[in-house]
Amino acid sequence: MQYQNSLQYAQSCDAKDSLKHFRDKFLFPKNSAGEQLIYLCGNSLGLQPKRTQEYIQQELNDWAKHGVEGHTDAENPWLPYHEFLTQNMAVIVGAKPSEVVIMNTLTTNLHLMMVSFYKPTKTRYKIIVESDAFPSDKYAVESQLKFHGLDPKDGLILWKPRQGEELCRFEDLERIMATQGDEVALLMIGSTNYYTGQSFPLKKITQLGHKHGAMVGFDLAHGAGNIQPNLHDTGADFAVWCSYKYLNSGPGSLGGCFVHERHEKNNDLPRFAGWWGHNKQTRFNMRHEFDPLEGAEGWQLSNPPILSMAAIRASLDVFAEAGFENVRSKSEKLTGYLEYLLDGLNNENINIITPRNKEDRGCQLSIQVKNADKALHTKLTQAGVISDWREPDVIRVAPAPLYNNFEDVWEFVQRLKKIL
Ligand SMILES: *Cc1c(COP(=O)(O)O)cnc(C)c1O
């Protein structure tokens, strides 16, 4: 793409953007003077769709009107409520509807998946994670090892960038598997790394893991609603994600879970069970042996919080209207523009650590600013930019294609330049 460094050019891109009217479907935070902020933090908490309030209000109204009968008599009955989310969610992560369910929260789902898919033996018990994995994932994996009586110092293998590099290389994962593959029980990789913004080749990782007899799972916290992970096609055994980052479903909202269809009827897998995973026909008889639903739904534990589900439903409807292919296609252009403008600063203290290749990243760019400290981030905030700071010297900015535009990106770089 041939970009140009001018406000006029950014505005002309916005005028031509087929998704431009989606920006008006979101609520933007403002500063104390009432000016709209430049919000580039969808990687941490996505903005609120205007319709979310209406969707939640509907459930409050039905609760007021029907009480317990709302389970069957609400406009959107609560008993099967999670089913209303499945189709749209499946499209976004590239899965079959039976492979996807919205339930619990991300770290809970990660534990549930490891109960089923991390089955250590005397000789095959190690777990591989990428070295800069999100702390919660690392704690979850380490605690699973300990739960099985294993020492994380021995059982956890880190896939690390080489000395002096920021990104992980696939060849290095191949090398680990070539030497220790028959000791590895599980590869648990973040699909898109929260710190560097690097997206990993999910299908190649899955094939590598399976070739050596390991299970493979992904954490899509920074992938869902951002990249196109094509989960079914990767062949991964499981995946988990949250819905409050790129999926705009509100703070602490529920997570998603993918279980590949090859496991959908496998009742021999160990699993922590609850009544919502039980056969819908006999769930309320209460006296049956646990009879798991086929597919991802069979891992549900509890009847879900409908108010949170309503917020997810509102957001997924916005995505469905936009079409996820269009969202991703705009995202590549928008982040490409951010990259072009940052390069155009010609500032040798600035280093984009996120991969340059668009297949290897989502919308986020992680900008390392040498010799900077958190004061830089504070100044950006004072200048009306909401971004995210990671010690020691990285600003993460994530233009979200549904509500950010080319002018936001241009304006951000102008303000950054002034501060630098
Ligand atoms: C955001 C994030 C989490 C947060 O987990 P919760 O259980 O939703 O609090 C975990 N892992 C990764 C990789 C994340 O990016």
Side-chain angles (χ1 to χ4, degrees):
M1 236 180 122
Q2 278 300 358
Y3 294 115
Q4 291 170 27
N5 189 349
S6 74
L7 175 59
Q8 209 180 13
Y9 173 79
Q11 288 171 337
S12 76
C13 290
D14 287 332
K16 279 183 272 178
D17 170 18
S18 66
L19 298 181
K20 62 172 179 266
H21 51 286
F22 279 85
R23 183 176 173 87
D24 299 330
K25 298 180 189 291
F26 289 86
L27 295 164
F28 282 78
K30 300 194 168 90
N31 66 13
S32 50
E35 296 152 343
Q36 185 169 312
L37 299 171
I38 297 186
Y39 194 83
L40 296 171
C41 219
N43 55 336
S44 191
L45 182 71
L47 289 184
Q48 183 183 144
K50 287 180 181 165
R51 71 179 69 176
T52 299
Q53 195 166 12
E54 179 196 315
Y55 279 52
I56 293 177
Q57 192 60 51
Q58 171 78 46
E59 303 316 321
L60 290 172
N61 293 350
D62 280 344
W63 177 23
K65 186 169 161 196
H66 300 290
V68 70
E69 307 291 354
H71 285 293
T72 48
D73 297 354
E75 180 86 11
N76 313 299
W78 304 327
L79 268 181
Y81 200 95
H82 70 273
E83 296 170 22
F84 306 142
L85 313 179
T86 303
Q87 176 62 35
N88 286 343
M89 191 68 256
V91 169
I92 292 174
V93 295
K96 299 188 176 184
S98 66
E99 294 174 319
V100 167
V101 67
I102 303 280
M103 61 178 189
N104 312 315
T105 48
L106 189 160
T107 309
T108 309
N109 288 338
L110 181 54
H111 276 297
L112 292 179
M113 289 295 102
M114 286 195 282
V115 164
S116 294
F117 297 107
Y118 172 55
K119 293 180 287 178
T121 66
K122 274 223 143 42
T123 54
R124 186 188 281 282
Y125 58 91
K126 295 188 178 175
I127 305 180
I128 301 183
V129 297
E130 82 268 26
S131 75
D132 229 331
F134 194 86
S136 192
D137 299 36
K138 191 147 177 278
Y139 303 150
V141 166
E142 284 172 350
S143 64
Q144 286 281 335
L145 284 159
K146 287 186 195 160
F147 177 72
H148 288 282
L150 296 160
D151 179 359
K153 280 202 202 78
D154 173 42
L156 191 63
I157 302 177
L158 298 179
W159 174 26
K160 288 187 207 153
R162 296 181 186 178
Q163 190 88 42
E165 296 186 351
E166 299 284 348
L167 305 175
C168 294
R169 295 178 185 237
F170 182 69
E171 310 92 86
D172 293 341
L173 187 61
E174 286 182 310
R175 199 159 308 130
I176 296 172
M177 291 305 281
T179 52
Q180 302 177 70
D182 50 8
E183 296 171 10
V184 175
L186 174 67
L187 281 88
M188 216 307 290
I189 309 288
S191 78
T192 304
N193 183 269
Y194 81 102
Y195 181 70
T196 62
Q198 179 179 19
S199 282
F200 298 114
L202 307 187
K203 189 165 182 169
K204 278 165 74 179
I205 291 174
T206 306
Q207 287 171 343
L208 176 67
H210 285 173
K211 188 176 90 183
H212 289 273
M215 290 284 183
V216 180
F218 295 111
D219 181 339
L220 289 167
H222 285 262
N226 182 21
I227 59 164
Q228 290 179 292
N230 297 323
L231 280 178
H232 176 79
D233 184 55
T234 65
D237 296 286
F238 71 87
V240 294
W241 58 94
C242 55
S243 69
Y244 47 82
K245 291 173 179 162
Y246 294 109
L247 291 173
N248 310 326
S249 301
S253 200
L254 301 175
C257 190
F258 163 90
V259 178
H260 196 277
E261 74 174 348
R262 86 176 74 86
H263 302 297
E264 85 184 357
K265 294 187 187 138
N266 186 352
N267 291 350
D268 298 333
L269 285 172
R271 75 173 101 190
F272 285 173
W275 72 323
W276 231 247
H278 181 89
N279 183 342
K280 288 168 198 171
Q281 265 64 52
T282 56
R283 184 188 286 151
F284 290 94
N285 294 359
M286 310 281 192
R287 280 175 186 80
H288 285 265
E289 291 271 314
F290 180 64
D291 173 19
L293 288 164
E294 267 180 27
E297 288 187 335
W299 272 265
Q300 294 173 107
L301 298 178
S302 304
N303 78 102
I306 298 298
L307 301 182
S308 174
M309 296 290 246
I312 300 175
R313 188 164 179 224
S315 171
L316 293 180
D317 281 357
V318 178
F319 273 96
E321 276 167 31
F324 197 64
E325 302 218 327
N326 303 326
V327 174
R328 176 62 182 157
S329 155
K330 174 177 172 185
S331 176
E332 289 174 358
K333 291 181 200 138
L334 198 57
T335 294
Y337 191 48
L338 174 61
E339 178 181 39
Y340 163 83
L341 293 175
L342 289 168
D343 287 343
L345 290 175
N346 281 322
N347 184 326
E348 58 192 31
N349 284 332
I350 284 196
N351 172 30
I352 300 174
I353 59 180
T354 308
R356 294 292 182 155
N357 189 347
K358 63 183 169 27
E359 281 77 43
D360 300 328
R361 70 183 185 204
C363 73
Q364 172 186 325
L365 292 184
S366 303
I367 311 163
Q368 186 175 38
V369 189
K370 288 179 202 131
N371 311 317
D373 56 29
K374 192 144 194 245
L376 174 69
H377 180 252
T378 308
K379 284 184 196 154
L380 266 175
T381 310
Q382 283 160 354
V385 176
I386 306 293
S387 63
D388 176 292
W389 177 259
R390 288 286 144 166
E391 294 296 341
D393 55 4
V394 171
I395 310 170
R396 300 185 303 166
V397 281
L402 276 178
Y403 53 78
N404 284 123
N405 61 17
F406 288 82
E407 188 172 338
D408 284 340
V409 165
W410 192 82
E411 195 48 51
F412 160 68
V413 177
Q414 303 319 301
R415 293 184 196 182
L416 177 66
K417 185 175 170 185
K418 220 169 173 183
I419 290 166
L420 289 170

